[in-house]
Amino acid sequence: MLTGKKVRLRAIDIKKDAELFTEWINDYEVVKFLGRPFKSISPDEERRILKGLLLKKDTVLFAVETLDGGNLIGSISLMGINHFDGTAITGTLIGDKQYWRKGFATDAKMVLLNYAFTVLNLRRISTRVVADNIASVRVQEKCGYTREGVWRKEVYTDGKYRDVVLLAVFRNGWMKQWREYIRKAD
Ligand SMILES: CC(C)(COP(=O)(O)OP(=O)(O)OC[C@H]1O[C@@H](n2cnc3c(N)ncnc32)[C@H](O)[C@@H]1OP(=O)(O)O)[C@@H](O)C(=O)NCCC(=O)NCCS
């Protein structure tokens, strides 16, 4: 288990977690900026998807749980892990909307980056965010990512073609940000 200031990242338990994951994936407001067609799914389909993700060798998927109360509120992942280049891509989903705008995604992402840089020894982590997903862009910037470019009108999501912002963070420089983050009380 990996612990931050507000959340812990733990292994997914498909049997226990799939119901809530299904609720989130079926909530249009939660998934509208994920850049894929909206389609509601059943708990069985979600169990199959989770099983497939957990079997992937280049992916690490964690459940995000509150430190206070141990509530399951979302998931966070490293995908496309490439040990030769030292790179991976991150994805974050806080599915329980009552936890939005309270710093949970930022904390989960900082914990994940520390794992990526210190345990997996990666050196560059990137992400792609629909430009209109202001909260997500903000989370990446708070965690030390900088913008590297824009793919114009790259995805059709939430009713129109939208830009995608590319962001990345490097281990060099970030470890200082982590030490300051973990030292500072909220
Ligand atoms: C995007 C998401 C991860 C953000 O999670 P969160 O826990 O609310 O994020 P945090 O509270 O850590 O930080 C959000 C930041 O964005 C800001 N923010 C949130 N919504 C905003 C909005 N609509 N407009 C402007 N700023 C906004 C917050 O104020 C905060 O910044 P601050 O600390 O400087 O005030 C969450 O909303 C989510 O999971 N959405 C659905 C899935 C998704 O879009 N994932 C990202 C895919 S790239």
Side-chain angles (χ1 to χ4, degrees):
M1 270 201 248
L2 308 169
T3 306
K5 295 202 276 190
K6 288 169 167 283
V7 302
R8 72 171 69 84
L9 309 187
R10 62 152 173 85
I12 301 270
D13 179 333
I14 295 183
K15 271 197 195 131
K16 282 199 200 141
D17 300 338
E19 295 275 340
L20 267 183
F21 275 60
T22 309
E23 267 180 42
W24 303 333
I25 295 300
N26 289 337
D27 182 337
Y28 183 73
E29 205 188 342
V30 171
V31 297
K32 69 178 181 184
F33 286 141
L34 296 187
R36 55 179 190 228
F38 180 71
K39 180 178 158 283
S40 70
I41 59 167
S42 67
D44 274 345
E45 278 173 279
E46 179 59 16
R47 276 187 271 276
R48 271 196 296 279
I49 294 168
L50 285 173
K51 201 172 167 192
L53 286 170
L54 295 181
L55 286 171
K56 284 186 87 159
K57 287 207 166 64
D58 68 348
T59 297
V60 184
L61 175 67
F62 292 108
V64 178
E65 218 175 58
T66 58
L67 279 186
D68 187 7
N71 299 319
L72 175 62
I73 62 167
S75 67
I76 194 160
S77 58
L78 288 166
M79 297 163 287
I81 298 168
N82 180 327
H83 288 289
F84 185 78
D85 292 332
T87 56
I89 297 170
T90 47
T92 313
L93 186 140
I94 302 298
D96 189 331
K97 292 183 285 192
Q98 63 173 313
Y99 289 93
W100 281 6
R101 299 196 84 157
K102 293 179 179 159
F104 286 96
T106 302
D107 195 50
K109 179 57 77 79
M110 289 298 280
V111 173
L112 185 78
L113 288 174
N114 186 46
Y115 173 77
F117 290 142
T118 61
V119 179
L120 300 185
N121 201 26
L122 301 177
R123 70 178 179 89
R124 177 187 195 273
I125 306 296
S126 62
T127 192
R128 296 163 199 169
V129 182
V130 173
D132 301 292
N133 193 349
I134 311 285
S136 182
V137 173
R138 180 79 193 113
V139 168
Q140 317 310 327
E141 290 178 340
K142 283 173 68 181
C143 293
Y145 289 66
T146 55
R147 292 172 191 240
E148 297 194 329
V150 176
W151 285 339
R152 295 177 55 228
K153 306 272 184 266
E154 165 71 8
V155 291
Y156 186 86
T157 195
D158 198 31
K160 62 179 193 178
Y161 291 102
R162 292 174 194 270
D163 293 350
V164 168
V165 185
L166 315 177
L167 302 109
V169 56
F170 288 82
R171 182 175 53 207
N172 281 352
W174 184 85
M175 295 312 302
K176 185 166 174 269
Q177 180 175 346
W178 168 252
R179 283 192 295 273
E180 283 165 6
Y181 172 78
I182 216 69
R183 207 171 38 226
K184 206 176 96 203
D186 274 329

